[in-house]
Amino acid sequence: MDRETDEVVLDAVGPRLRALRRARGITLANLAATTGVSESTLSRLESGQRRASLELLLPLARTYDVPLDDLVGAPRTGDPRIHLKPVRRFGMTFVPLSRRPGGVRAFKMIIPARPEPVEPTPQIHEGFEWLYVLTGHLRLVAGERDLTLRPGEAAEFDTSLPHWLGSADGGVVELLVLFGLQGVRAHVASP
């Protein structure tokens, strides 16, 4: 990388951090409490008035659960492969398929087999969700609806509606999931 490229990369760190924080719905005060970095330092970092340092970026990467490279946005070198890092949450595995903080994020989601039926515990959060079942039978509870989706079926819904995803028959379910910001909807053209 040359000096000009370094400057472009460094200048983009602040706006990238701000977009990530806003996309996650976190206030500066909450982020300061979680990371131990002062609110004023975080604000100056996001506005570009302060340069990012490893000392500041490490707690942010930990809090956001993203690789340090993603926070910096440095150009990739050489190897074009994407190294997927699965994350386990709520007893399920999420494999991130996109890296861009904020905006629409893509995941492969794997719901493990369970010998005993699981009682739905609907959750709500800001945003919109689209899903496409790859294998298995997905049970989708969205508001008053309790649906079973089979491979090849898709659904979309506003996540402010209480919702829950699980296996309809106790078997493994694999699906693709897109999480988007509120008001963004999937547009699929039909032939």
Side-chain angles (χ1 to χ4, degrees):
M1 268 194 321
D2 59 24
R3 251 188 196 304
E4 192 174 307
T5 304
D6 291 348
E7 287 301 313
V8 169
V9 168
L10 289 172
D11 288 344
V13 171
R16 183 177 293 104
L17 291 173
R18 177 176 284 136
L20 180 58
R21 179 179 58 78
R22 288 181 174 167
R24 302 270 177 108
I26 301 172
T27 66
L28 279 173
N30 289 342
L31 186 58
T34 304
T35 62
V37 177
S38 76
E39 196 173 332
S40 64
T41 298
L42 292 169
S43 177
R44 289 193 330 263
L45 186 61
E46 287 184 0
S47 68
Q49 295 173 0
R50 178 164 181 164
R51 286 284 193 206
S53 68
L54 197 53
E55 180 180 66
L56 296 173
L57 292 175
L58 284 173
L60 291 170
R62 232 182 340 270
T63 298
Y64 291 134
D65 193 26
V66 297
L68 193 56
D69 289 350
D70 288 0
L71 289 183
V72 176
R76 305 269 178 217
T77 56
D79 189 350
R81 293 176 294 176
I82 296 173
H83 301 281
L84 305 174
K85 294 183 178 146
V87 176
R88 292 201 35 86
R89 289 201 176 116
F90 316 111
M92 296 178 265
T93 302
F94 295 83
V95 181
L97 302 175
S98 61
R99 297 184 189 170
R100 198 180 110 233
V104 176
R105 300 276 318 269
F107 294 88
K108 178 178 181 183
M109 184 175 161
I110 303 164
I111 301 171
R114 301 216 186 237
E116 300 292 323
V118 176
E119 184 63 32
T121 52
Q123 304 291 318
I124 62 169
H125 53 87
E126 186 176 333
F128 214 82
E129 190 168 318
W130 307 268
L131 52 89
Y132 177 85
V133 180
L134 297 168
T135 62
H137 295 101
L138 176 72
R139 181 177 178 197
L140 168 63
V141 176
E144 299 297 317
R145 294 181 178 259
D146 192 337
L147 307 167
T148 298
L149 282 76
R150 290 169 174 61
E153 291 188 301
E156 68 174 341
F157 54 92
D158 185 328
T159 57
S160 65
L161 183 69
H163 61 282
W164 178 86
L165 304 174
S167 175
D169 58 10
V172 174
V173 182
E174 294 185 16
L175 57 152
L176 295 178
V177 180
L178 298 177
F179 296 106
L181 299 174
Q182 187 62 31
V184 180
R185 295 179 96 78
H187 296 283
V188 180
S190 32

